[in-house]
Amino acid sequence: LDKAVGLDVKSKLTVECLRKITTDTSTVVSFLLGGCVSMLVMRWWNVRHDCIGGLWGSISDLNLILSAHMPHVEDRAAKETILRLALLSLRLCFNQIADKNEAKDLQEHVDAGIMTPEELQVLKDVCSKPQVVWVWIMMTIHSLADKGKIRNKEFTLPRLEKLCTKARGCIGETFAYTDTQIPYPYVHLLTMMVIITNVFMAIKSGLQIGGHFRNLHGHFNALFVIAEICHITVLPFFQHSWIKLGCALANPIGEHFFDLPLQTYHVIMRDENICFMHAGEAAPSYTKDLSKLP
């Protein structure tokens, strides 16, 4: 090493210089890495809370209002159709992000009973399928209003339309996140800085361990050697792990174990909104006749 790079490996000054370089670069890398990972975790949460959560909230609010305005059993088919289409839009979001938009992929929804063959024929050749579904939901609501199913429609219908447009907006925002990749130069530069820092750490630890073995004189410090080995294994392991984890969190809609669970969301949303329908149809008598208030 002396001849190759001109370093005096026996000099304490050489080791101190390498330690200083390692400390400085590690500080910069930790700062940048922490900011990058924090940003990507926040991006993951925004997709969950603002996008999928916003869509979830719009679906629940929509069915809550309809269940209160149409509390009769004979209205169940219309309410279930709106709920089915809303849940279909959620599934189509995951399909589009996973690039599973072919007819054979959509056929799975038909087989599951969440899409009709007629809907499949319309959707198979259009883009942004999950947003298109909300056109049908809004048209169905308009038909219900024309039949007098929605009371005070001059005030209620605009509210329902706003929920539909909010749901479409949440879907569009989801695609804005998933279709926009992390700036490659930033991630590439950060990765290179981590690798360079790891190289300096390895050289520094190697020199220190070598110097320790060269100057044993019967006094072997196992803790010192273990600490140096941990320094060149544990720290780089977590640095590279954070980079990989952050990149994976950039798109939380997929099939990784830490991605958003589509099937779980579907079941919870379905059960939640069906409860609204049951509550409206089996409402206590005092909700219709205030004289019977307990």
Side-chain angles (χ1 to χ4, degrees):
L1 187 59
D2 289 349
K3 297 179 179 179
V5 296
L7 287 178
D8 182 4
V9 296
K10 299 179 181 180
S11 171
K12 291 184 177 181
L13 180 61
T14 299
V15 175
E16 287 300 322
C17 290
L18 288 172
R19 181 184 291 114
K20 187 177 187 320
I21 293 173
T22 301
T23 301
D24 292 343
T25 55
S26 294
T27 301
V28 174
V29 166
S30 299
F31 176 77
L32 294 176
L33 188 58
C36 179
V37 173
S38 297
M39 176 191 68
L40 294 171
V41 171
M42 184 58 65
R43 177 186 173 112
W44 181 93
W45 176 246
N46 287 340
V47 173
R48 169 60 184 88
H49 183 267
D50 298 335
C51 301
I52 301 300
L55 176 61
W56 189 330
S58 298
I59 294 172
S60 296
D61 290 347
L62 184 64
N63 283 277
L64 175 67
I65 295 173
L66 292 176
S67 296
H69 280 261
M70 300 189 299
H72 307 293
V73 177
E74 56 268 24
D75 298 324
R76 171 62 76 90
K79 292 182 288 188
E80 287 185 344
T81 297
I82 291 174
L83 175 59
R84 178 182 62 79
L85 290 173
L87 294 175
L88 175 61
S89 72
L90 174 66
R91 287 192 166 273
L92 291 175
C93 279
F94 281 71
N95 274 89
Q96 181 166 328
I97 293 169
D99 197 22
K100 295 181 178 179
N101 282 319
E102 300 297 327
K104 59 182 178 61
D105 300 315
L106 302 179
Q107 182 62 40
E108 295 179 2
H109 301 315
V110 177
D111 298 338
I114 198 173
M115 178 191 288
T116 65
E118 181 184 6
E119 293 164 354
L120 173 60
Q121 292 304 313
V122 176
L123 289 174
K124 67 178 184 179
D125 296 322
V126 301
C127 63
S128 198
K129 297 174 177 59
Q131 299 185 65
V132 170
V133 170
W134 283 93
V135 176
W136 300 340
I137 294 176
M138 191 177 292
M139 291 176 66
T140 304
I141 292 173
H142 283 181
S143 297
L144 293 171
D146 292 340
K147 293 182 179 180
K149 295 291 185 179
I150 299 175
R151 295 188 294 273
N152 302 317
K153 69 176 184 178
E154 293 79 7
F155 303 99
T156 307
L157 192 57
R159 168 64 175 162
L160 296 175
E161 290 175 337
K162 186 176 180 180
L163 288 173
C164 291
T165 54
K166 179 185 176 183
R168 189 225 58 80
C170 290
I171 294 172
E173 188 175 357
T174 302
F175 294 151
Y177 275 109
T178 58
D179 293 344
T180 305
Q181 66 178 8
I182 308 167
Y184 177 76
Y186 179 82
V187 179
H188 181 70
L189 178 61
L190 183 58
T191 303
M192 287 299 299
M193 291 183 66
V194 169
I195 293 173
I196 292 172
T197 300
N198 294 161
V199 170
F200 281 119
M201 289 169 55
I203 295 174
K204 185 266 298 180
S205 295
L207 291 178
Q208 287 192 306
I209 294 174
H212 178 69
F213 277 104
R214 186 175 60 249
N215 302 310
L216 279 178
H217 302 303
H219 300 287
F220 175 69
N221 191 337
L223 183 60
F224 172 80
V225 175
I226 292 174
E228 289 297 329
I229 292 175
C230 290
H231 193 221
I232 59 174
T233 55
V234 176
L235 187 58
F237 170 78
F238 281 107
Q239 287 176 336
H240 288 275
S241 296
W242 280 115
I243 292 177
K244 290 184 177 295
L245 178 61
C247 293
L249 289 176
N251 183 358
I253 297 181
E255 298 179 352
H256 294 99
F257 71 93
F258 46 73
D259 286 335
L260 302 181
L262 169 61
Q263 186 62 27
T264 300
Y265 289 171
H266 177 101
V267 172
I268 295 175
M269 293 169 67
R270 181 199 64 194
D271 294 347
E272 179 180 85
N273 287 281
I274 288 177
C275 286
F276 294 158
M277 299 177 195
H278 281 303
E281 295 166 0
S285 57
Y286 60 77
T287 59
K288 300 176 183 178
D289 185 357
L290 295 181
S291 64
K292 296 181 180 181
L293 282 172

